[in-house]
mmCIF file of all heavy atoms in Angstrom:
data_model
loop_
_atom_site.group_PDB
_atom_site.id
_atom_site.type_symbol
_atom_site.label_atom_id
_atom_site.label_comp_id
_atom_site.label_asym_id
_atom_site.label_seq_id
_atom_site.Cartn_x
_atom_site.Cartn_y
_atom_site.Cartn_z
ATOM 1 N N LEU A 12 -51.108 3.494 48.049
ATOM 2 C CA LEU A 12 -50.700 4.871 47.822
ATOM 3 C C LEU A 12 -49.281 5.086 48.328
ATOM 4 O O LEU A 12 -48.901 4.566 49.368
ATOM 5 C CB LEU A 12 -51.660 5.829 48.534
ATOM 6 C CG LEU A 12 -53.107 5.837 48.034
ATOM 7 C CD1 LEU A 12 -53.951 6.725 48.925
ATOM 8 C CD2 LEU A 12 -53.183 6.315 46.589
ATOM 9 N N ALA A 13 -48.521 5.847 47.584
ATOM 10 C CA ALA A 13 -47.152 6.153 48.006
ATOM 11 C C ALA A 13 -47.188 7.037 49.239
ATOM 12 O O ALA A 13 -48.069 7.869 49.409
ATOM 13 C CB ALA A 13 -46.407 6.841 46.870
ATOM 14 N N ASP A 14 -46.233 6.827 50.122
ATOM 15 C CA ASP A 14 -46.123 7.641 51.328
ATOM 16 C C ASP A 14 -44.737 8.273 51.304
ATOM 17 O O ASP A 14 -43.778 7.708 51.842
ATOM 18 C CB ASP A 14 -46.312 6.760 52.567
ATOM 19 C CG ASP A 14 -46.267 7.555 53.863
ATOM 20 O OD1 ASP A 14 -45.896 8.748 53.809
ATOM 21 O OD2 ASP A 14 -46.578 7.000 54.923
ATOM 22 N N PRO A 15 -44.608 9.438 50.669
ATOM 23 C CA PRO A 15 -43.275 10.020 50.491
ATOM 24 C C PRO A 15 -42.578 10.370 51.797
ATOM 25 O O PRO A 15 -41.355 10.286 51.880
ATOM 26 C CB PRO A 15 -43.541 11.283 49.655
ATOM 27 C CG PRO A 15 -44.992 11.580 49.845
ATOM 28 C CD PRO A 15 -45.655 10.253 50.031
ATOM 29 N N VAL A 16 -43.339 10.741 52.827
ATOM 30 C CA VAL A 16 -42.711 11.090 54.095
ATOM 31 C C VAL A 16 -42.074 9.850 54.721
ATOM 32 O O VAL A 16 -40.907 9.869 55.125
ATOM 33 C CB VAL A 16 -43.722 11.728 55.064
ATOM 34 C CG1 VAL A 16 -43.071 11.980 56.424
ATOM 35 C CG2 VAL A 16 -44.260 13.036 54.493
ATOM 36 N N SER A 17 -42.837 8.762 54.786
ATOM 37 C CA SER A 17 -42.301 7.523 55.363
ATOM 38 C C SER A 17 -41.160 6.967 54.534
ATOM 39 O O SER A 17 -40.164 6.467 55.072
ATOM 40 C CB SER A 17 -43.421 6.477 55.492
ATOM 41 O OG SER A 17 -44.394 6.901 56.418
ATOM 42 N N GLU A 18 -41.294 7.048 53.205
ATOM 43 C CA GLU A 18 -40.233 6.546 52.340
ATOM 44 C C GLU A 18 -38.944 7.346 52.532
ATOM 45 O O GLU A 18 -37.845 6.776 52.582
ATOM 46 C CB GLU A 18 -40.685 6.608 50.881
ATOM 47 C CG GLU A 18 -41.774 5.591 50.533
ATOM 48 C CD GLU A 18 -42.326 5.796 49.134
ATOM 49 O OE1 GLU A 18 -41.870 6.754 48.454
ATOM 50 O OE2 GLU A 18 -43.194 5.021 48.715
ATOM 51 N N THR A 19 -39.078 8.660 52.642
ATOM 52 C CA THR A 19 -37.893 9.498 52.840
ATOM 53 C C THR A 19 -37.286 9.237 54.205
ATOM 54 O O THR A 19 -36.053 9.190 54.357
ATOM 55 C CB THR A 19 -38.257 10.986 52.699
ATOM 56 O OG1 THR A 19 -38.910 11.194 51.447
ATOM 57 C CG2 THR A 19 -37.016 11.866 52.764
ATOM 58 N N ARG A 20 -38.139 9.052 55.212
ATOM 59 C CA ARG A 20 -37.628 8.741 56.543
ATOM 60 C C ARG A 20 -36.873 7.418 56.534
ATOM 61 O O ARG A 20 -35.813 7.291 57.154
ATOM 62 C CB ARG A 20 -38.771 8.675 57.562
ATOM 63 C CG ARG A 20 -38.266 8.530 58.994
ATOM 64 C CD ARG A 20 -39.387 8.248 59.981
ATOM 65 N NE ARG A 20 -38.897 8.290 61.343
ATOM 66 C CZ ARG A 20 -38.176 7.334 61.921
ATOM 67 N NH1 ARG A 20 -37.864 6.238 61.236
ATOM 68 N NH2 ARG A 20 -37.750 7.465 63.164
ATOM 69 N N ASP A 21 -37.402 6.417 55.836
ATOM 70 C CA ASP A 21 -36.730 5.114 55.760
ATOM 71 C C ASP A 21 -35.363 5.240 55.092
ATOM 72 O O ASP A 21 -34.391 4.612 55.532
ATOM 73 C CB ASP A 21 -37.597 4.118 54.989
ATOM 74 C CG ASP A 21 -38.822 3.675 55.776
ATOM 75 O OD1 ASP A 21 -38.870 3.913 56.998
ATOM 76 O OD2 ASP A 21 -39.749 3.112 55.158
ATOM 77 N N ARG A 22 -35.284 6.055 54.037
ATOM 78 C CA ARG A 22 -33.988 6.251 53.369
ATOM 79 C C ARG A 22 -33.008 6.933 54.314
ATOM 80 O O ARG A 22 -31.825 6.560 54.372
ATOM 81 C CB ARG A 22 -34.163 7.077 52.090
ATOM 82 C CG ARG A 22 -34.817 6.326 50.948
ATOM 83 C CD ARG A 22 -34.530 6.996 49.609
ATOM 84 N NE ARG A 22 -35.004 8.368 49.553
ATOM 85 C CZ ARG A 22 -36.248 8.726 49.231
ATOM 86 N NH1 ARG A 22 -37.151 7.788 48.951
ATOM 87 N NH2 ARG A 22 -36.601 9.993 49.185
ATOM 88 N N ALA A 23 -33.499 7.930 55.033
ATOM 89 C CA ALA A 23 -32.635 8.624 55.991
ATOM 90 C C ALA A 23 -32.167 7.664 57.079
ATOM 91 O O ALA A 23 -30.991 7.678 57.470
ATOM 92 C CB ALA A 23 -33.381 9.803 56.610
ATOM 93 N N ARG A 25 -31.849 4.383 56.936
ATOM 94 C CA ARG A 25 -30.865 3.427 56.401
ATOM 95 C C ARG A 25 -29.504 4.091 56.237
ATOM 96 O O ARG A 25 -28.463 3.467 56.491
ATOM 97 C CB ARG A 25 -31.353 2.859 55.055
ATOM 98 C CG ARG A 25 -32.518 1.899 55.178
ATOM 99 C CD ARG A 25 -32.704 1.120 53.888
ATOM 100 N NE ARG A 25 -33.050 1.988 52.771
ATOM 101 C CZ ARG A 25 -34.282 2.339 52.437
ATOM 102 N NH1 ARG A 25 -35.318 1.912 53.159
ATOM 103 N NH2 ARG A 25 -34.517 3.114 51.391
#
Side-chain angles (χ1 to χ4, degrees):
L12 295 174
D14 182 350
V16 175
S17 295
E18 290 173 359
T19 306
R20 187 189 187 284
D21 288 346
R22 287 200 301 275
R25 288 195 297 272

